[in-house]
């Protein structure tokens, strides 16, 4: 019963996150409008304008929260998409070719793994400058490695199967073998990896924005909202609690979905249930 509740909860939270992100496109500039009469207004359930309170400039926290959801969603979508495409392509090619190519790619992957991912992203973001595009680029440079490792391992396990040998014997070209015969069999574990990648991208974007290396004010990000709220933590704790709870719920929900998909793909786990 509890497991079922957590599954429903996770999908509801992710659906709300996506809806908020889409709503941000039609919101306009009202989230950035300064209202000196509402400075540090506490949450008021009876008024939509101050449902979640307001910040140090009187801007509504609800609208800022929606724009922050849009920022985190765009970053997560961009990072996971580009990381998956780059990493999967490299991993498939490396595992299929083997030999010197595989050894070189493996060494490159080991070099990237030798650096803490977030620290490398911080260094790249500091060099490139703030902005959502640079955040995505920095996180992609760090994030492709996990997909490459997983795709390479899957390819090594698949390339000696009968249908691959049959495709080779029929003269099928290498790109067709990789695209039609290898890639579909690796999509399930890569999909699970992508869910955890979404959670990691959301956390990393918030961390970079908190450090001043991500999205810059007046644009909203849950990270810079928390940063701004820390100065008023004693008098207006909602400025930290609102984006902090939203960040926690989204990351928790995405990780729960990833765990659910991983258990579903685990044959032993399904057999036990």
């Amino acid at each position: 019963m509890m497991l079922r509740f957590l599954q429903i909860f996770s999908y509801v939270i992710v659906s709300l996150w996506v809806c908020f992100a889409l709503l941000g496109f039609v919101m306009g500039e009202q989230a950035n409008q300064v209202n000196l009469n509402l400075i540090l207004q506490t949450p008021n359930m009876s008024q939509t304008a101050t449902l979640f309170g307001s910040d140090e400039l009187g801007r509504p926290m609800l609208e800022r929260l929606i724009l922050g959801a849009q920022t985190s969603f765009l970053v997560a979508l961009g990072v996971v998409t580009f990381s998956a495409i780059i990493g999967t392509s490299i991993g498939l090619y490396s595992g299929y070719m083997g030999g010197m190519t595989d050894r070189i790619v493996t060494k490159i992957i080991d070099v990237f793994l030798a650096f803490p991912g977030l620290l490398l992203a911080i260094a790249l973001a500091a060099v490139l400058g703030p902005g959502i595009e640079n955040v995505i680029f920095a996180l992609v440079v760090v994030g492709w490695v996990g997909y490459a490792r997983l795709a390479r391992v899957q390819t090594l396990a698949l390339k000696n199967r009968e249908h691959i040998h049959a495709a080779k014997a029929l003269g099928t070209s290498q790109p067709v073998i990789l695209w039609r015969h290898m890639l579909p069999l690796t999509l399930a574990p890569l999909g699970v990896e992508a869910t955890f990648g979404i959670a990691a991208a959301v956390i990393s974007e918030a961390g970079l924005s908190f450090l001043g290396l991500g999205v810059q004010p007046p644009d909203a990000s849950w990270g810079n909202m928390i940063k701004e709220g820390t100065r008023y933590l004693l008098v207006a704790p909602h400025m930290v609690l609102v984006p902090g709870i939203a960040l926690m719920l989204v990351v928790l929900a995405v990780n729960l979905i990833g765990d659910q998909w991983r258990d579903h793909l685990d044959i032993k786990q399904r057999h036990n249930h």
Side-chain angles (χ1 to χ4, degrees):
M1 185 69 180
M2 186 63 180
L3 180 61
R4 183 62 178 170
F5 170 77
L6 289 176
Q7 292 174 353
I8 296 174
F9 165 82
S10 60
Y11 282 104
V12 169
I13 294 297
V14 171
S15 299
L16 286 174
W17 180 42
V18 174
C19 290
F20 275 18
L22 296 176
L23 186 60
F25 288 106
V26 298
M27 181 163 295
E29 293 297 321
Q30 62 189 33
N32 296 323
Q33 289 180 353
V34 176
N35 188 339
L36 299 181
N37 295 322
L38 296 177
I39 290 178
L40 300 180
Q41 185 75 33
T42 56
N44 186 350
M45 297 297 177
S46 63
Q47 297 181 11
T48 306
T50 57
L51 184 63
F52 289 164
S54 57
D55 63 8
E56 75 279 12
L57 296 177
R59 296 173 297 187
M61 290 293 295
L62 176 59
E63 281 80 354
R64 302 283 293 169
L65 185 73
I66 292 173
L67 288 186
Q70 182 188 52
T71 299
S72 63
F73 179 78
L74 291 176
V75 169
L77 183 63
V79 169
V80 170
T81 300
F82 289 113
S83 297
I85 291 173
I86 296 171
T88 303
S89 301
I90 294 174
L92 280 174
Y93 184 76
S94 173
Y96 184 78
M97 293 300 293
M100 183 59 70
T101 301
D102 188 41
R103 285 195 291 271
I104 293 174
V105 172
T106 303
K107 294 301 181 185
I108 294 174
I109 291 175
D110 290 339
V111 169
F112 275 89
L113 291 175
F115 295 95
L118 186 57
L119 290 181
L120 183 58
I122 290 172
L124 287 170
V127 171
L128 296 170
I132 189 170
E133 298 86 359
N134 292 339
V135 168
I136 293 175
F137 179 80
L139 294 178
V140 168
V141 170
V142 175
W144 68 271
V145 179
Y147 299 95
R149 290 179 64 198
L150 184 57
R152 174 183 172 272
V153 170
Q154 293 291 319
T155 303
L156 290 174
L158 293 170
K159 71 177 184 178
N160 290 320
R161 288 191 175 181
E162 291 80 2
H163 71 284
I164 302 297
H165 290 302
K168 291 180 182 178
L170 291 172
T172 307
S173 64
Q174 180 179 305
V176 174
I177 291 176
L178 291 175
W179 178 255
R180 294 187 59 185
H181 298 283
M182 303 286 281
L183 180 61
L185 297 177
T186 65
L187 287 180
L190 286 171
V192 175
E193 177 73 14
T195 59
F196 295 118
I198 291 173
V202 171
I203 285 287
S204 298
E205 182 276 325
L208 291 174
S209 295
F210 183 85
L211 296 173
L213 299 172
V215 177
Q216 299 296 297
D219 294 333
S221 163
W222 290 342
N224 63 29
M225 289 173 67
I226 294 173
K227 177 185 177 181
E228 294 167 359
T230 54
R231 294 180 294 174
Y232 306 94
L233 190 58
L234 295 179
V235 294
H238 65 276
M239 289 183 61
V240 172
L241 291 176
V242 169
I245 292 174
L247 181 64
M248 180 197 70
L249 289 176
V250 168
V251 173
L252 176 62
V254 173
N255 280 329
L256 286 174
I257 292 174
D259 287 335
Q260 178 187 348
W261 289 0
R262 182 182 59 191
D263 293 341
H264 179 73
L265 294 173
D266 190 342
I267 298 176
K268 295 180 181 179
Q269 190 81 6
R270 278 190 289 174
H271 180 70
N272 291 335
H273 285 295

